[in-house]
Amino acid sequence: MINLSRVFPKEDILKRRIKLHFRRFEFKYLVSPGQKDEIIRQIKPFMYLDPFVTSGSSYLITSLYLDSPALTFYRQNEAGIPDRKKIRFRHYDNNQKIVFKEIKRKHQDIVYKDRVISDGPPNSPVEIEIKQLTRLLHLRPTLWIKYNRQPWIDPKNNLRVTFDSDITAASAKFLSGREAKWFKKILPGHNILELKFDGKLPWQISNIISRHSLIREALSKYRLAIEKLEMI
């Protein structure tokens, strides 16, 4: 496996997360640590660890979610509205020099994600829409979420399988997101397994899901964290 850290400086590696527009299905399942280990063993023959993982087997994701004072985006999610969105700022492995501004939308079962790098063009469609929504809904920093992600990929089928663990969250009134003492565990003792694909799910993955009797669930980290922190 290529270790990109030996080829590019770390900040350059992050800038190479260059895919800025996504359209795909995202199926989520709650799995135990034991199930995670077993599923990884089963996918290893046909998938490999994402080369953006430059040390260990995972990377840290830190997201700052914006919402209105009335928690409009949370309430859309909680109500199961079929057309909804979230706005978040995200960085990887504690590198705050490169921040992605993202609009994540859901239409029925399809997820769309559009993002820009924070030092990109100020008049991009994503930047313009975020500014418009901020004015319209009085958006403000609402919630920090951190977790470790172990990502596996199958480029042939355009498939990603990710395991998110050690999920923690804190109110964004702690603006820097660095005060670890304010972060609370979300779903302790569990991992969120996500299947991300834009076509038909490969039969090997379908068999694994069936073998472990996994049930697809609505596992929005933002919604779960808002409720865990009793912010409603």
Side-chain angles (χ1 to χ4, degrees):
M1 183 182 300
I2 296 174
N3 186 339
L4 295 181
S5 64
R6 296 177 181 175
V7 182
F8 304 114
K10 188 170 184 180
E11 290 180 21
D12 210 21
I13 292 171
L14 291 174
K15 285 186 176 179
R16 280 170 166 74
R17 298 177 189 270
I18 57 175
K19 189 169 183 182
L20 301 178
H21 307 285
F22 301 80
R23 177 189 181 277
R24 62 195 182 193
F25 296 101
E26 294 185 358
F27 292 177
K28 300 180 181 181
Y29 306 85
L30 202 61
V31 298
S32 68
Q35 286 176 311
K36 171 187 172 181
D37 292 342
E38 180 63 15
I39 292 170
I40 289 172
R41 185 188 65 79
Q42 292 166 347
I43 65 177
K44 272 185 175 181
F46 60 94
M47 302 189 74
Y48 59 87
L49 201 61
D50 188 329
F52 281 120
V53 177
T54 56
S55 63
S57 62
S58 63
Y59 48 70
L60 176 67
I61 295 178
T62 303
S63 298
L64 174 62
Y65 285 80
L66 277 60
D67 209 335
S68 71
L71 297 179
T72 300
F73 297 148
Y74 161 79
R75 297 189 187 283
Q76 288 178 349
N77 186 287
E78 194 272 339
I81 294 174
D83 293 287
R84 57 185 187 265
K85 65 184 64 175
K86 298 172 189 168
I87 294 178
R88 64 192 181 200
F89 298 165
R90 169 171 287 185
H91 63 268
Y92 297 85
D93 287 331
N94 284 324
N95 188 334
Q96 297 189 43
K97 293 181 180 180
I98 299 177
V99 177
F100 292 90
K101 297 181 179 181
E102 301 182 349
I103 302 176
K104 186 174 183 180
R105 316 168 203 271
K106 187 168 186 181
H107 176 69
Q108 304 294 343
D109 278 340
I110 302 175
V111 172
Y112 301 83
K113 187 165 72 173
D114 300 291
R115 60 184 184 173
V116 294
I117 297 175
S118 58
D119 60 356
N123 59 346
S124 70
V126 173
E127 289 275 13
I128 290 171
E129 184 172 357
I130 289 176
K131 289 176 183 176
Q132 290 174 340
L133 287 170
T134 297
R135 287 194 297 266
L136 178 65
L137 298 174
H138 306 289
L139 300 182
R140 60 185 183 181
T142 301
L143 187 74
W144 288 102
I145 296 181
K146 292 185 179 184
Y147 52 92
N148 290 308
R149 168 164 289 175
Q150 183 174 144
W152 293 81
I153 61 175
D154 172 7
K156 182 177 70 174
N157 291 300
N158 203 16
L159 167 70
R160 286 177 64 83
V161 174
T162 62
F163 297 90
D164 295 340
S165 60
D166 304 316
I167 305 167
T168 61
S171 168
K173 64 183 178 181
F174 308 111
L175 291 178
S176 75
R178 292 178 178 271
E179 297 84 350
K181 66 180 180 179
W182 300 114
F183 279 77
K184 288 188 177 182
K185 293 181 179 180
I186 310 297
L187 300 174
H190 292 85
N191 301 266
I192 293 179
L193 162 64
E194 292 192 39
L195 309 179
K196 304 176 182 184
F197 59 102
D198 59 8
K200 186 177 180 181
L201 197 61
W203 64 268
Q204 299 100 318
I205 297 296
S206 296
N207 284 351
I208 290 171
I209 296 302
S210 176
R211 193 179 310 162
H212 290 272
S213 302
L214 299 182
I215 299 174
R216 183 183 169 196
E217 299 184 55
L219 293 168
S220 163
K221 298 180 191 72
Y222 179 64
R223 176 179 57 80
L224 293 171
I226 287 286
E227 294 170 357
K228 183 75 172 183
L229 297 177
E230 300 180 344
M231 295 176 64
I232 51 173

